[in-house]
Amino acid sequence: MDDSTFKALSRTGTPGRYAAFADLVDLAPAAAFIRDSEGRYLWANHAYAHLYGTVPEHVIGKYIEDLDEPAEAEQFRALDQEILSRGTPVRHTLGYRRPDGSAGRAVGHRFPVRENARTCVAGIYVDVTDHLRATVQWQEAEENLQALRDHSGLPCALLSANGRVVEASAAAAELFQVSPHDLVGRRAHTLLAPEPDLDRLHRRWNGLISRRTRRVETSAVLVDAHGLQRRAQLHLTSIGHSASRARHVWAVVTHQSLAHEAHPALTAAQIRILSLLAEGSSNGDIATSLHLSRQTVDYHLSRLRHLLGAATRPALVARAYVLGILAPRAWPPRSATAAHPLSTV
């Protein structure tokens, strides 16, 4: 029975009633066929023939063994006989060999039909091979990302476009002295200490979300559950771009200072003095460089020793680094905020 015969036989009842349906089935993306009890194809649509890299005319009239490998042909014949003996439809997933030699998967129904007083087997399937492959690849990528997030040791968090924590690593939860469960759902701004640079950070964040920039390297002062602060170097990367907005931002802490109680913000002059101290400058050199008197420099050093809890010049420099006041990987020494002036890509 060729394709035109099938269409004619499909028009039972009111003449022409099923002609449009027959055309629809013939060109539908779901693969469909009809075989007799001997395993000979009576009809196949274009999608089914495409599974074998051919056209319906080269399928109709052939037997299962003409198209499939012996093991698969035996499986398909067994399924046909199951349908013929049960007389009821069966939904299942089957594997097959694609024309390129790769394994394929299809999901659908196989059911009995009456044709010229004979009971035949019809089937209609959707090829889900590419979908399953994409799903497996997505799962593998998700597992790899989770392993990297949880075992890299870097505090990192996935933030929504409105600044809420969506995912967080164990290291991020430890940094804030909370459980990962308690960290998820928090607003990111509640984890930051108030600083003059926050307005600039907020503008850069808006640039990430609006896709004007893709990546930002900066620093911020984080506050844990006990109120202790630490300066952290942050890498912010936008992901999940839509037409005009990024859906999420990955925030990764690449370096963090020692946790400490909040202290008054240092002045620009005090930070410059610490930078010159770290460089090895004497009090006289500092006074000359900053155009200050020796008495003023001595006052600032006394004040810094009190604020940072350091009794000596080397201790001041050490505290400036461990507290994140000075950039850990910059020379000549300079402020941590100056070392990462919210650079963008």
Side-chain angles (χ1 to χ4, degrees):
M1 178 171 57
D2 59 21
D3 185 56
S4 60
T5 304
F6 170 77
K7 291 180 180 179
L9 291 174
S10 297
R11 297 167 189 162
T12 56
T14 305
R17 180 179 179 185
Y18 299 110
F21 177 74
D23 291 333
L24 176 65
V25 173
D26 189 41
L27 298 175
F33 68 86
I34 296 177
R35 288 195 292 256
D36 63 18
S37 59
E38 302 299 321
R40 185 170 65 94
Y41 284 96
L42 304 180
W43 174 83
N45 69 355
H46 288 275
Y48 188 85
H50 180 70
L51 295 177
Y52 295 94
T54 185
V55 294
E57 290 77 11
H58 293 164
V59 174
I60 296 170
K62 289 186 169 60
Y63 288 87
I64 298 177
E65 289 78 8
D66 297 327
L67 300 175
D68 294 296
E69 296 296 328
E72 293 176 336
E74 182 179 355
Q75 174 193 5
F76 298 157
R77 276 190 176 276
L79 290 173
D80 284 0
Q81 292 306 312
E82 178 185 356
I83 297 301
L84 292 172
S85 61
R86 291 177 52 172
T88 57
V90 173
R91 184 183 188 278
H92 57 80
T93 300
L94 60 86
Y96 69 96
R97 188 63 53 185
R98 305 180 101 185
D100 62 2
S102 63
R105 300 286 287 180
V107 176
H109 287 81
R110 195 171 299 218
F111 49 93
V113 294
R114 295 291 295 173
E115 186 62 56
N116 289 340
R118 296 179 301 169
T119 300
C120 301
V121 177
I124 184 166
Y125 291 88
V126 176
D127 189 342
V128 295
T129 307
D130 294 336
H131 172 73
L132 291 176
R133 182 180 295 117
T135 300
V136 170
Q137 291 174 346
W138 176 83
Q139 291 173 339
E140 291 176 348
E142 186 73 15
E143 290 173 359
N144 291 336
L145 178 60
Q146 184 174 355
L148 179 64
R149 183 193 69 193
D150 292 338
H151 301 297
S152 68
L154 290 175
C156 56
L158 181 66
L159 308 176
S160 65
N162 62 2
R164 192 179 293 276
V165 178
V166 178
E167 297 178 21
S169 68
E174 183 179 355
L175 186 152
F176 291 104
Q177 296 296 296
V178 296
S179 69
H181 176 76
D182 291 333
L183 187 55
V184 171
R186 287 278 299 272
R187 291 283 189 178
H189 74 269
T190 65
L191 305 171
L192 301 176
E195 273 200 316
D197 285 342
L198 281 183
D199 288 341
R200 187 166 54 165
L201 177 59
H202 187 258
R203 290 194 299 270
R204 295 297 185 176
W205 172 270
N206 289 336
L208 284 169
I209 299 304
S210 63
R211 300 179 60 190
R212 293 194 302 272
T213 56
R214 186 179 63 86
R215 181 170 60 89
V216 169
E217 297 181 29
T218 184
S219 68
V221 177
L222 310 180
V223 183
D224 67 21
H226 305 298
L228 298 180
Q229 299 183 1
R230 70 185 78 211
R231 180 166 291 279
Q233 307 299 323
L234 300 174
H235 283 222
L236 306 176
T237 305
S238 61
I239 60 173
H241 295 162
S242 62
S244 59
R245 284 174 60 84
R247 295 181 58 189
H248 296 95
V249 171
W250 269 111
V252 180
V253 176
T254 57
H255 185 271
Q256 55 183 286
S257 72
L258 183 71
H260 60 87
E261 294 183 354
H263 55 68
L266 302 185
T267 66
Q270 289 172 331
I271 294 176
R272 182 61 181 147
I273 289 172
L274 288 172
S275 300
L276 292 171
L277 278 180
E279 192 175 328
S281 299
S282 66
N283 287 14
D285 294 335
I286 294 173
T288 300
S289 177
L290 300 183
H291 305 289
L292 299 174
S293 67
R294 289 287 299 270
Q295 291 79 7
T296 302
V297 172
D298 290 340
Y299 167 78
H300 280 305
L301 288 174
S302 175
R303 180 66 177 158
L304 285 169
R305 284 193 291 267
H306 173 72
L307 289 174
L308 304 185
T312 64
R313 292 165 62 94
L316 268 179
V317 172
R319 292 288 287 178
Y321 277 110
V322 299
L323 295 180
I325 298 170
L326 297 180
R329 296 181 297 274
W331 190 268
R334 57 186 181 272
S335 166
T337 56
H340 287 276
L342 293 172
S343 56
T344 61
V345 175

